[in-house]
Amino acid sequence: MTELGKKKIIIAIDGYSSCGKSTVAKEIAKQLGYIFIDSGAMYRAITLDCLRAGRVTNGIVDLAGLQEHLDQIRINFIFNPATLHNDICLNGENVELEIRQLEVAQNVSQVAAIGVVRRFLVAQQQEMGKSKGIVMDGRDIGTVVFPKAELKIFMTADPRIRAQRRYDEMVAKNEAVDFEEILSNITARDRFDENREESPLRRAEDAILLDNSHLTREEQFSWILEKVEEKVKNSCP
Ligand code: DC
């Protein structure tokens, strides 16, 4: 752990989809010895639960059924020694891979727009940040979950560059993909996240903008670590 890691703060990273928020957040948490929480994974886990229970079809959620069942859904993270990261568990089952499936991605925006779901997860996210020393990424972390976070970063990048990165990743995995389809999915998700009624994606007034269109990962890490250093120096002991 670095010297910086000894004085714990909360780091909130929000921004548009496919900006590389989780990659950056994970690496920053590792360097500081902080906990990393991917809040999007929590919305994905609830979506997976809905899909398995037949409570969501083609983006239409059975709200009454979900509401009744919500307090029986247990979400937690466990350390995976193989990847050195925390995997998400749904009712005790490791679902880190399942939540990345296309069907989950296609329905998660609708589930994440439901107020009761957001309140249920925000309460758990706030509990995780009680002892500070946490990096959490999402869409409402600096505005709703930790409005008093010491460091807030809002990430963005040119949509075509984000689509190109996602395209390259999928091609590397031998997946058949179409660039224009990826681009339209990214812009549609941005519009949905920005325009929903419940906790829309917004840059908090005190968030620092990070446009990573033309930055390497290393450049982004050192930029953020510089900001952490400034915040740690200026925050109360
Ligand atoms: O970051 P991601 O793509 O895994 O997020 C999945 C979905 O959850 C996406 O539609 C945005 C939503 N989300 C949210 O509304 N609030 C968060 N704090 C994190 C994710």
Side-chain angles (χ1 to χ4, degrees):
M1 194 195 300
T2 64
E3 274 303 301
L4 275 179
K6 289 182 187 163
K7 197 168 170 185
K8 307 278 188 200
I9 64 168
I10 293 182
I11 304 175
I13 302 186
D14 290 303
Y16 292 100
S17 52
S18 303
C19 269
K21 297 186 295 295
S22 294
T23 308
V24 170
K26 215 179 275 179
E27 184 59 28
I28 294 294
K30 191 169 133 198
Q31 295 210 16
L32 297 173
Y34 279 22
I35 298 165
F36 159 66
I37 298 293
D38 170 1
S39 69
M42 300 171 78
Y43 290 94
R44 286 170 182 264
I46 302 269
T47 307
L48 178 65
D49 188 84
C50 286
L51 285 164
R52 285 177 171 179
R55 287 196 186 89
V56 59
T57 1
N58 300 324
I60 312 289
V61 185
D62 163 15
L63 198 50
L66 172 59
Q67 213 159 335
E68 202 174 302
H69 173 75
L70 201 56
D71 63 358
Q72 289 160 43
I73 300 179
R74 277 184 302 111
I75 290 176
N76 64 293
F77 289 88
I78 51 156
F79 183 70
N80 180 337
T83 59
L84 304 179
H85 294 306
N86 289 325
D87 286 352
I88 192 156
C89 292
L90 171 65
N91 299 326
E93 176 193 349
N94 186 325
V95 291
E96 186 61 33
L97 292 180
E98 285 83 350
I99 61 158
R100 311 287 164 198
Q101 286 166 354
L102 188 63
E103 205 186 3
V104 174
Q106 283 167 338
N107 289 283
V108 64
S109 295
Q110 285 74 9
V111 172
I114 300 171
V116 283
V117 170
R118 301 205 71 85
R119 288 187 283 281
F120 177 71
L121 291 182
V122 166
Q124 296 179 33
Q125 291 156 1
Q126 289 173 334
E127 191 64 32
M128 292 170 186
K130 269 196 168 160
S131 315
K132 301 205 175 193
I134 189 167
V135 185
M136 192 177 287
D137 83 295
R139 306 293 192 287
D140 61 341
I141 311 304
T143 50
V144 176
V145 181
F146 299 126
K148 293 190 178 149
E150 286 83 354
L151 178 60
K152 298 180 188 176
I153 292 163
F154 190 88
M155 283 176 70
T156 186
D158 183 310
R160 293 194 78 83
I161 293 179
R162 286 188 270 147
Q164 188 65 49
R165 289 176 187 156
R166 187 46 54 99
Y167 176 85
D168 293 344
E169 266 171 31
M170 294 173 95
V171 167
K173 286 189 212 158
N174 289 323
E175 292 179 37
V177 281
D178 175 60
F179 176 81
E180 291 303 326
E181 202 178 307
I182 295 178
L183 179 61
S184 82
N185 179 270
I186 282 181
T187 49
R189 283 208 285 155
D190 289 349
R191 266 201 308 276
F192 195 97
D193 289 343
E194 282 179 316
N195 293 307
R196 68 178 177 219
E197 263 178 45
E198 290 281 344
S199 312
L201 171 64
R202 291 266 183 281
R203 175 182 168 188
E205 273 177 23
D206 51 349
I208 311 170
L209 186 71
L210 172 59
D211 182 336
N212 69 10
S213 301
H214 303 290
L215 294 179
T216 63
R217 279 185 189 168
E218 288 65 32
E219 285 168 332
Q220 295 175 58
F221 298 147
S222 50
W223 185 92
I224 296 179
L225 284 175
E226 220 174 85
K227 305 291 170 208
V228 174
E229 202 164 339
E230 284 167 21
K231 292 288 173 182
V232 166
K233 262 194 224 146
N234 298 329
S235 71
C236 301

